[in-house]
Amino acid sequence: MTQLLPPIGAVLPELVLAVSAIVLILIGAVRGEGAANFITGLAIAVLAAAGVLVLLGPGGETVAFNGSLVIDPFGRFMKALAIFGAMVALIMAVDWQNREKLARFEYAVLFVIATLGMCMLVSAGDLIALYLGLELMSFSLYVLAAINRDSVRSTEAGLKYFVLGSLSSGMLLYGSSLVYGFTGSVNFEVIATVVKEPSIGLIFGLVFVLAGLCFKISAVPFHMWTPDVYEGAPTPVTTFFATAPKVAGMAIFIRVVLEAFPHVAHQWQQIVVFVSIASMVLGAFAAIGQRNIKRLLAYSSIGHMGFALVGLAAGTAEGVRGVLVYIAIYVAMTLGSFACVLTMRRQGRAVENIDELAGLARNNPLMALMFGALMFSLAGVPPLAGFLAKYYVFVAAIQAGLYGLAVIGVLASVVGAYYYLRVVKVMYFDEPAEAFDPMPTELKAVLALSGLFTIFYFVYPAPLIEAAGVAARSLF
């Protein structure tokens, strides 16, 4: 049932985020910089409330604003995941802000606005809502990347991200205009009914739209911003970049190809297979020579987006379920890994070189154990969560007859294992370096939960698989 004004319950999470962002800006403007910690606390509460509203929202599918927003089980799953990633990344930034004397109220507000953009993006039912959500998210991320104005690296990261992001937005808009020109509509459902046979102009439009979306999930060949921005941006901002926006980007990628272009699946599958292979291979080989832990995790994220796209290439409900499980596990592993990166400080100064982890097993055995488990999981070593995530997408690809893609994925995993295991080797077998500063409580909590989830996920994987299955089936 399409209606102009939605039932309030369907868009309540977005309304809460939008109104809260305005209120937080006003509080910050009135109270000044001293309100930073107070506003951060409020922002965390707002994100938690939005997450609860998403989970308690009306079941089934609701179409609002004349088809611009679609609230369905798929959207609820991805929104909950994106909000969770944003909330945890903001919690992880609290101690860092105070240590670096960068406690600014704008930081938390930008998180709330970016999350609003993500929720819009995940639920987008047409190309206009897609673009509005994407830009709302992206502009917040550009500012966050350059939020440390006194750091040349941070400013440079923000500028690079902005310039390349503008290019990707232009490509997305050009592709959208071509799709509109050849179909006469921006609505995904209408496009799907019009597009029964591929035409050369429409395929060009589809390629440009997918190119713009590939940039947002940092998939090859639109990955070039990722290592520089991950390294240059403040580490808590990098944590955010590596989790929540990836969820939203992958969600809209899936929604566009399955809802707007189901009848030209053969055409978009070729694009997804190419992007998937390129991302897995580059992520595996380019990370081998990295010495900076943030750059290593940047190439790791490029590779993991490639692995996730293996499931989408299958074009089946099982494949999409595999992607959703993969993204959920990836977010958990990434948050834990960045909790360790944020702990890499000596005498209050952050260090980022992998060699600085030398002998961590003797200085902080529990942190080394958890970080080691996360590295093994990212490498896909059984029975950890990362192995099961890859298993689901590879099985979906094999069932769809994409044997070559699955084989290349397995080989890329083997190559990628080298640089993850090198981190473990440095922690356990190198001569101990000076111990790190004590780990803040919130980072201990994130690392413990992430590590335990990764290690023990195989014991009871059913809830996540069932939730992802329900979300995936709602698209078919």
Side-chain angles (χ1 to χ4, degrees), residues 17 21 24 39-40 43-44 46-47 82-94 96-97 104-119 136-137 140-141 143-145 147 234-241 243-245 335:
L17 289 169
L24 292 176
I39 287 176
T40 301
I44 291 166
V46 165
L47 290 172
I83 292 170
F84 172 76
M87 186 177 74
V88 175
L90 186 53
I91 290 168
M92 289 166 68
V94 173
W96 171 86
Q97 281 183 300
R104 297 185 182 135
F105 76 86
E106 297 96 331
Y107 185 86
V109 175
L110 286 165
F111 265 68
V112 174
I113 296 171
T115 308
L116 170 61
M118 287 176 225
C119 289
L136 190 58
M137 174 181 88
S140 306
L141 299 183
V143 180
L144 280 169
I147 198 149
T235 307
V237 175
T238 307
T239 309
F240 184 45
F241 283 3
T243 50
L335 288 170

Side-chain angles (χ1 to χ4, degrees), residues 148-212:
N148 186 0
R149 290 177 301 220
D150 299 328
S151 163
V152 175
R153 275 176 39 172
S154 177
T155 314
E156 185 185 334
L159 191 59
K160 277 181 182 171
Y161 193 21
F162 174 67
V163 171
L164 292 169
S166 304
L167 174 69
S168 80
S169 290
M171 292 169 80
L172 182 73
L173 268 182
Y174 181 58
S176 300
S177 65
L178 282 173
V179 171
Y180 173 66
F182 280 91
T183 61
S185 177
V186 292
N187 186 275
F188 295 161
E189 279 190 10
V190 178
I191 292 169
T193 56
V194 172
V195 180
K196 300 294 184 186
E197 291 293 325
S199 67
I200 189 73
L202 187 80
I203 297 305
F204 263 97
L206 177 60
V207 167
F208 275 104
V209 168
L210 294 188

